[in-house]
Amino acid sequence: MSTIPSLSEDGAQSLWTGDRPGRDEYFFTTVAATGTVWAWDFETGLLEIDDQDNALVPLWPHPRLAVMAAEAMGFEDAGPAVPVDVDVLLDEEFERFHREGHEIAVLPTDGQFTTILSLERFRVKVFEARLQTAGLTDHAARARREEFHADRIRRADRRLGLAPDDRHALVEHLRARLASAACDHRIAFPATRDWIEAQGFSWELLSRSAVKVLAACDCETLDYFLTTRRTSSA
């Protein structure tokens, strides 16, 4: 991890009172340069709770901003912010946060008007910020982006945890459902969800892997599993 980036008190106050796009740009530019985010200790359970009772993981690009947030939110026992290697966050911690259904709060101030990102979207934003500073040619950047998105799909597929027999059964279910009623291209995945829940699997957990990564509706889900089945049998 890199050293703490320079940030004057005036600079911190300017970020604090600035608009959300400006805070977001500072966050991802700084994290891309340092490879570090700052957080309250994950093990203490000090997570921000939004209006829908969702647990959010608040992250900052500088420890001073984390201290200011703790003071503003009244978290007197938050303790000092700890540095976290962003690659560790996106690997080891990511999987735990995924299972627990957390999302990322980007540089929260007083808990309002903060960018909230899914774990996958946060991973993409960090990747794109790093790519912008890598100084690659267009061809190299395109290749890096293709490699990154292929890795996203592999990770999401592993998280599904569906055995080959389950995948085959889901394909047959989707074929039958979509033959009798055309896909309405809703992100709710009604046919996929019906099968998942009928098997006793957690739709809430599986959908966090499927939505917008592997597919965006029932017919895309069918296409994905048909494609992977052909690939694995080739």
Side-chain angles (χ1 to χ4, degrees):
M1 289 186 291
S2 301
T3 57
I4 299 175
S6 174
L7 180 64
S8 67
E9 190 62 25
D10 286 345
Q13 292 295 336
S14 178
L15 281 167
W16 192 262
T17 58
D19 59 15
R20 183 167 56 182
R23 292 200 303 271
D24 288 356
E25 181 179 1
Y26 175 81
F27 180 97
F28 287 105
T29 300
T30 303
V31 170
T34 65
T36 304
V37 292
W38 294 79
W40 298 322
D41 187 352
F42 295 145
E43 302 305 321
T44 65
L46 282 172
L47 302 175
E48 184 182 356
I49 306 299
D50 68 10
D51 293 339
Q52 286 75 46
D53 291 330
N54 297 317
L56 307 175
V57 181
L59 299 175
W60 296 268
H62 193 282
R64 174 58 184 144
L65 298 169
V67 170
M68 293 169 69
E71 293 171 350
M73 296 181 198
F75 289 148
E76 298 176 357
D77 298 328
V82 295
V84 180
D85 186 308
V86 73
D87 290 315
V88 172
L89 175 72
L90 292 175
D91 189 7
E92 300 168 16
E93 296 293 346
F94 184 103
E95 297 303 326
R96 177 164 69 88
F97 291 158
H98 174 80
R99 290 191 300 272
E100 296 172 356
H102 299 333
E103 294 184 315
I104 303 296
V106 175
L107 209 167
T109 51
D110 58 358
Q112 297 180 342
F113 307 113
T114 295
T115 296
I116 306 300
L117 298 176
S118 69
L119 295 172
E120 283 294 343
R121 186 59 185 156
F122 181 78
R123 184 196 292 277
V124 170
K125 295 278 283 185
V126 170
F127 170 79
E128 290 294 342
R130 284 173 155 174
L131 197 62
Q132 289 294 322
T133 62
L136 300 177
T137 64
D138 289 346
H139 177 75
R142 189 179 308 112
R144 184 77 61 83
R145 189 174 283 112
E146 290 174 355
E147 179 183 343
F148 170 76
H149 287 292
D151 180 65
R152 286 183 70 212
I153 291 173
R154 286 192 295 269
R155 288 170 179 264
D157 189 281
R158 285 198 301 269
R159 290 189 202 104
L160 291 177
L162 295 178
D165 288 348
D166 293 327
R167 291 166 183 255
H168 177 76
L170 176 55
V171 164
E172 295 308 310
H173 168 80
L174 289 173
R175 276 176 164 165
R177 282 282 294 269
L178 295 176
S180 61
C183 180
D184 58 8
H185 308 299
R186 285 191 297 148
I187 204 168
F189 297 77
T192 305
R193 180 169 185 164
D194 285 350
W195 185 88
I196 292 294
E197 292 182 339
Q199 309 311 307
F201 298 130
S202 168
W203 169 249
E204 182 179 2
L205 179 60
L206 268 65
S207 66
R208 288 198 289 273
S209 288
V211 175
K212 295 185 180 179
V213 180
L214 302 180
C217 61
D218 284 325
C219 67
E220 287 190 9
T221 301
L222 176 59
D223 288 344
Y224 173 77
F225 283 113
L226 286 173
T227 300
T228 55
R229 187 165 70 180
R230 286 194 295 268
T231 302
S232 62
S233 62

